[in-house]
């Protein structure tokens, strides 16, 4: 276990290093000069050169990347070029909002996805199954921006059940979390359905039914814990998809998370923020996968971490 | 004081307090109330030496003051922290007499030392101010650094004398820019690089709270030196709000001014509803949208080709694409800008004439070129309209739709044969015709990385522009504007641009917002002038 953890942590560090390198290269070769963005349209050539020197952007790539890494290991993500604020502060101020939305969103996905998957598996081949699978197909392919706006319009503007965007109370959380839940539930319901169908065919299920246990008890106590196993691994992967998809939902609902921050930074070529958010997102994905691996043996004793 | 009197005794007093043209307070205005303004993007910074986007520009204006200011809702200069000013006959020495009893938000009295410190700071390369270049006319600018500007002298605690190295008729406008705001040294030193998050000025409002990524709260400065204003007790800026959502919230009574304006997709719907349209204020804007034609590249090095392109563009149709939120343009200056040439027709839409000119240039069969455009709506749609117009005269334009920063880069490097300026178009820094020339049409901006994307450089026009800006005697303002009018018609004869349209501004407000309409389309405070609007 300890050896496994050590090896995985080393791997994670390498992955993060790789991510930092690739992102840095991509931003370096970008045909847009961050110094021009900072200097503004009225700047003289002299001003532009001054800023370039002060930011060290006149240095060769290796020096720039080396300096970035050196600061990074000290926990310094640099200062935003345009906001002039420490990137660490910008991310930390927004991270709680994103984590909260992520947890609520994944919970919503699971509740919706799993129950739809179970219901579809139990109704396999019948109309209910087809309707549910059709729905999962629609939600997976639906454009996030449109669904978010639709949810906002119907439940906040028309019905007035929830605030029109914003952050702060539990009521603010419901709509964005539900939107993420609906959009992501399709993956889970499809996976849950096939996993459940497989488990329902297993011998021990037939045994349980033969013992005379009720249908509900068989499904919930015997089938579900076994069918849900592959789903656990999927949550770890889902965090990655989530970090990408949360940008749109955060924008529409005015949710002050890091997705919003990243989107703005990309438009303004604010490299330190783009780097910082990319690294933090990569970290979240790495941690998510690691946790999924660590939890697996507790659910399925056949899995051993070596 | 005596020193000041002695020096002023020698100079001709050219301009004195502009009391006559100052603002008449609204008799219906009520003090009190709080309004909510929304924005999609985070506020970048509130440091007046750094902030240079249309979102933080008006916010900084309400937190800080410079020596000069504008009459609310107009482009007329009026004294700000300066009570009066003198200009020497040669136009080189400006002596500003400061108001007594002005206090910073931290309670300390503002003095001439603060004025000098602020100008030294903004021009110091260490500050990385995007506005440093505006102060280039001040003596000692080229040597500016930790030592400060030699051209800015403190005469006494309430008098500052600024010496220029060359006459600059726009200098008073420059002193009204946010970059010339007066800041207290001790607050800047204490905050260091975070001054933009903890601003301290002399303005009508002070920053009470800033929750990163969520909201900023401006609170009324009870000690504000201008009597009677601001009316509002509080302005709350909520950031991270999509314009479409902001509009829904406004309709629901939760928002007073959507800072990003009416979303284009909703514009027709809003204007078709009389109740909503009544709450939209329309006004001019110091903006021109244009197509640059790179005069250093074939075939745009030929004047006939540039004229032909000017004649081929159907500006009325492009204006329709943006729901008529603009007026077709004939020249670089927008109609609300002093120096605009009334009655100048420019190049009329004439396909046959355009074809004839192309034939004259030996390109009767047309040619192929690239049209660069920023990739956000409505710009790609406008580019398609331009593409179709050009196809009608046999020119095949390939659209290169890129992110803003990439288009600016290509334009600066001189790689782009044609650029549609939408999303990056010039909006004046100050209401003076010179501001539309130097960086975007003059030789100064034509170098590598400059904003003159046509790379147009005409020495005779540059000389005329310099001559115009040397006429700093306010009595000759009319002569100066006439010269500028000649410069811009001269530019049009060479046709390095196709001026397409001048955007109009549409500010939407909630029903409870009060104040003159002009305050909601204030030329220098976008979206509104926070110091003078009120809640009914």
């Amino acid at each position: 276990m300890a050896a496994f953890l050590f090896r995985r942590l080393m791997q994670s560090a390498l992955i993060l290093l790789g991510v930092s390198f690739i992102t840095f290269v991509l931003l370096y070769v970008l045909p847009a000069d961050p110094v021009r963005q900072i200097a503004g349209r009225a700047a003289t050539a002299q001003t532009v050169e001054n800023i370039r020197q002060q930011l060290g952007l006149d240095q060769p790539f290796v020096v720039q990347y080396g300096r970035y890494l050196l600061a990074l290991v000290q926990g310094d993500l640099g200062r935003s070029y345009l906001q002039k604020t420490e990137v660490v502060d910008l991310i930390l101020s927004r991270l709680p909002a994103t984590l909260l939305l992520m947890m609520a969103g994944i919970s919503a996905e699971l509740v919706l996805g799993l129950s739809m998957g179970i219901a579809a598996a139990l109704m396999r081949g019948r109309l209910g199954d087809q309707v549910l699978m059709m729905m999962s197909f629609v939600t997976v392919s639906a454009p996030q921006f449109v669904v978010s706006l639709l949810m906002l319009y119907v439940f906040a503007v028309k019905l007035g059940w929830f605030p029109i965007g914003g952050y702060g109370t539990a009521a603010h959380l419901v709509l964005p979390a539900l939107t993420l839940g609906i959009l992501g539930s399709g993956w889970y319901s499809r996976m849950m359905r096939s996993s459940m169908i497989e488990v329902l065919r297993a011998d021990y299920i037939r045994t349980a039914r033969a013992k005379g246990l009720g249908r509900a008890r068989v499904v919930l106590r015997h089938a579900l814990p076994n069918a849900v196993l592959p789903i656990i691994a999927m949550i770890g992967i889902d965090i990655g998809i989530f970090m990408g998809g949360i940008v749109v939902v955060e924008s529409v609902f005015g949710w002050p998370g890091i997705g919003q921050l990243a989107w703005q930074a990309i438009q303004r070529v604010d490299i330190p923020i783009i780097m910082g958010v990319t690294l933090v997102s990569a970290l979240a994905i790495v941690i998510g996968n690691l946790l999924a691996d660590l939890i697996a043996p507790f659910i399925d004793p056949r899995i051993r971490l070596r | 004081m005596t020193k000041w009197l002695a020096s002023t005794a020698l100079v001709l007093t050219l301009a004195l307090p502009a009391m006559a043209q100052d603002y008449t307070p609204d008799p219906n205005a009520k003090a009190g109330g709080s309004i909510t303004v929304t924005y999609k993007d985070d506020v970048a910074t509130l440091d007046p030496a750094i902030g240079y986007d249309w979102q933080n520009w008006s916010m900084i204006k309400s937190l800080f003051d410079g020596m000069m200011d504008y009459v609310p809702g107009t482009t007329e200069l009026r004294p700000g922290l300066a009570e009066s000013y003198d200009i020497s006959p040669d136009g080189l020495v400006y002596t500003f007499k400061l108001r007594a009893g002005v206090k910073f938000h931290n309670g300390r009295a503002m003095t001439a030392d603060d004025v000098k410190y602020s100008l030294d700071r903004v021009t110091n390369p260490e500050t990385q101010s995007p506005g440093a270049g505006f102060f280039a006319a001040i003596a000692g600018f080229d040597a500016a650094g930790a030592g400060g500007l030699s051209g800015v002298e403190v005469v006494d605690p309430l008098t500052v004398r600024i010496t220029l190295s060359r006459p600059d008729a726009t200098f008073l406008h420059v002193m009204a820019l946010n970059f010339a705001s007066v800041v207290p040294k001790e607050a800047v030193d204490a905050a260091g690089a975070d001054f933009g998050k903890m601003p301290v000025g002399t303005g009508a409002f002070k920053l009470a709270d800033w929750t990163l990524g969520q909201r900023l709260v401006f609170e009324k400065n009870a000690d504000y030196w201008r009597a009677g204003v601001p009316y509002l007790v509080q302005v709350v800026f909520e950031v991270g709000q999509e314009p479409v959502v902001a509009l829904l919230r406004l309709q629901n009574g939760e928002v007073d001014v959507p800072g990003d304006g009416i979303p284009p997709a909703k514009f027709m719907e809003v204007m078709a509803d009389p109740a909503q349209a009544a709450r939209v204020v329309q006004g001019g804007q110091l903006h021109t949208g244009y197509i640059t034609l790179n005069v250093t590249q074939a075939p745009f090095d030929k004047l006939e080709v540039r004229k032909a392109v000017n004649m081929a563009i159907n500006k009325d149709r492009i204006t329709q694409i943006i729901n008529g939120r603009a007026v077709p343009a004939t020249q670089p200056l927008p109609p609300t800008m002093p120096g605009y040439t009334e009655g100048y027709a420019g190049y009329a839409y004439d396909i046959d004439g355009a074809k004839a000119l192309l034939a004259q240039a030996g390109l009767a069969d047309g040619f192929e070129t690239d049209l660069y455009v920023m990739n956000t709506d409505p710009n790609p749609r406008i580019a398609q309209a331009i593409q179709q117009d050009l196809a009608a005269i046999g020119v095949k334009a390939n659209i290169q739709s890129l992110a803003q920063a990439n288009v600016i880069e290509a334009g600066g490097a001189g790689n782009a044969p044609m650029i549609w300026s939408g999303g990056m178009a010039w909006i004046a820094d100050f209401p003076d015709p010179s501001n539309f020339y130097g960086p975007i049409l003059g030789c100064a901006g034509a170098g590598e990385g400059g904003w003159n994307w046509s790379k147009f450089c005409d020495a005779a026009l540059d000389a005329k522009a310099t001559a115009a800006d040397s006429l700093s005697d306010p009595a000759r303002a009319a002569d100066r504007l006439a010269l500028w009018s000649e410069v811009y018609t001269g530019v049009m004869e060479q046709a390095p641009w196709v001026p397409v349209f001048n955007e109009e501004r549409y500010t939407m407000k909630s029903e409870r917002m009060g104040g003159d309409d002009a305050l909601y389309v204030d030329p220098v405070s976008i979206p509104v002038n926070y110091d003078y609007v009120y809640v009914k």
Side-chain angles (χ1 to χ4, degrees), chain B residues 109-466:
Chain B
M110 189 266 316
T111 70
D113 287 314
D114 296 306
V115 176
K116 172 155 177 62
Y117 167 74
S118 304
L119 293 174
D120 287 350
R121 173 172 181 261
V122 73
T123 50
N124 184 342
E126 289 280 311
T127 310
Q128 297 184 8
S129 170
F134 289 113
F135 302 92
I138 298 181
F141 175 81
D142 294 329
L149 288 165
S150 59
V152 182
E153 297 161 88
V154 174
V155 178
D156 66 49
L158 290 177
T159 311
V160 181
R161 186 166 56 220
I162 302 179
T163 310
L164 306 185
S165 55
R166 53 177 157 87
D168 179 3
T170 66
F171 190 66
L172 289 175
H173 284 293
V174 169
M175 296 316 282
L177 286 173
N178 281 350
F179 299 116
S181 297
V182 181
V183 296
K185 182 175 192 297
E186 68 276 11
V188 176
D189 287 345
D194 288 324
F195 185 65
K197 291 279 176 287
M198 309 177 214
V200 178
T202 56
F205 289 92
K206 51 189 173 184
L207 179 68
D209 178 53
W210 186 339
T211 312
L212 280 178
Q214 294 182 44
R215 76 178 60 76
L216 291 87
V217 180
F218 280 15
E219 204 175 75
K220 177 180 181 162
N221 173 10
D223 295 329
Y224 190 47
W225 54 271
R226 267 192 215 279
V229 285
Y231 301 118
L232 296 172
V233 172
Q234 186 178 266
V235 183
V236 179
F237 298 93
E238 293 189 7
V239 298
Q241 307 270 323
E242 275 293 316
V244 177
V245 178
L247 181 66
L248 289 172
R249 293 187 61 203
L250 182 129
Q251 289 161 347
N252 209 33
E254 294 173 25
V255 166
D256 295 296
V257 178
D260 297 307
I262 307 166
K266 286 277 180 187
F267 184 73
M268 296 302 257
E269 187 186 315
V270 167
M271 298 311 273
D273 172 7
Q276 289 192 65
R279 286 186 269 123
V280 176
V281 183
Q282 180 184 358
Q285 195 177 177
L286 298 173
H287 162 282
T288 303
Y290 47 88
I291 305 165
T292 59
L293 309 173
N294 191 332
V295 300
T296 62
Q297 277 189 19
F300 296 116
D301 53 347
K302 291 201 177 91
L303 179 59
E304 294 88 352
V305 176
R306 301 198 298 265
K307 281 186 175 170
V309 171
N310 260 285
M311 289 155 79
I313 305 298
N314 185 345
K315 296 169 186 174
D316 291 318
R317 188 165 68 119
I318 295 176
T319 308
Q320 279 166 20
I321 290 178
I322 56 166
N323 297 327
R325 296 170 83 159
V327 288
T330 57
Q331 54 193 298
L333 290 185
T336 37
M337 180 72 98
Y340 176 82
T341 313
E342 288 293 344
Y344 178 77
Y347 296 95
Y349 178 51
D350 176 5
I351 293 181
D352 294 330
K355 280 182 179 162
L357 277 172
L358 275 189
Q360 258 183 51
L363 290 162
D365 297 332
F367 56 90
E368 194 168 339
T369 186
D370 286 332
L371 170 62
Y372 284 66
V373 54
M374 182 177 155
N375 59 6
T376 54
D377 189 70
N379 299 307
R381 285 189 291 135
I382 292 174
Q384 280 166 13
I386 296 170
Q387 190 182 38
Q388 285 166 18
D389 287 343
L390 292 176
I393 61 163
V395 175
K396 183 175 190 303
N398 303 308
I399 295 177
Q400 306 285 338
S401 179
L402 303 169
Q404 185 190 50
N406 304 54
V407 180
I408 293 174
E409 186 71 14
N415 297 333
M418 298 178 81
I419 301 177
W420 160 243
S421 74
M424 309 155 292
W426 200 256
I427 298 178
D429 298 296
F430 49 82
D432 186 89
S434 66
N435 192 242
F436 261 78
Y437 185 77
I440 45 177
L441 283 164
C443 296
E448 166 81 30
W451 275 71
N452 180 344
W453 298 333
S454 293
K455 303 296 164 196
F456 173 71
C457 173
D458 183 299
L461 287 175
D462 250 34
K464 196 173 265 186
T466 310

Side-chain angles (χ1 to χ4, degrees), chain A residues 8-59:
Chain A
R8 281 300 303 265
L9 285 176
M10 284 297 107
Q11 278 174 359
S12 307
L14 270 178
I15 290 173
L16 290 178
L17 186 70
V19 168
S20 80
F21 181 74
I22 293 170
T23 318
F24 207 89
V25 169
L26 286 177
L27 292 171
Y28 185 81
V29 300
L30 199 72
D33 186 353
V35 178
R36 293 246 157 240
Q37 293 280 115
I38 302 164
R41 53 186 204 175
T44 56
Q46 178 72 43
T47 313
V48 171
E49 276 324 297
N50 272 327
I51 295 175
R52 197 185 303 284
Q53 261 176 32
Q54 284 175 39
L55 294 176
L57 291 172
D58 53 340
Q59 301 290 324

Side-chain angles (χ1 to χ4, degrees), chain A residues 125-188:
Chain A
R126 277 178 277 158
L127 183 69
D129 179 23
Q130 279 161 3
V131 169
L132 283 172
M133 284 307 103
M134 187 68 195
M135 267 172 63
S136 77
F137 183 71
V138 170
T139 56
V140 163
S141 5
Q144 292 165 327
F145 191 79
V146 175
V147 175
S148 307
L149 266 184
L150 205 66
M151 295 284 289
L152 192 77
Y153 188 72
V154 174
F155 294 105
V157 178
K158 282 288 153 196
L159 298 173
W161 293 352
F162 300 102
I164 309 175
Y167 174 72
T169 67
H172 287 98
L173 180 62
V174 176
L175 281 182
L178 202 59
T179 307
L180 282 168
I182 291 172
L183 288 169
S185 63
W187 301 112
Y188 287 101

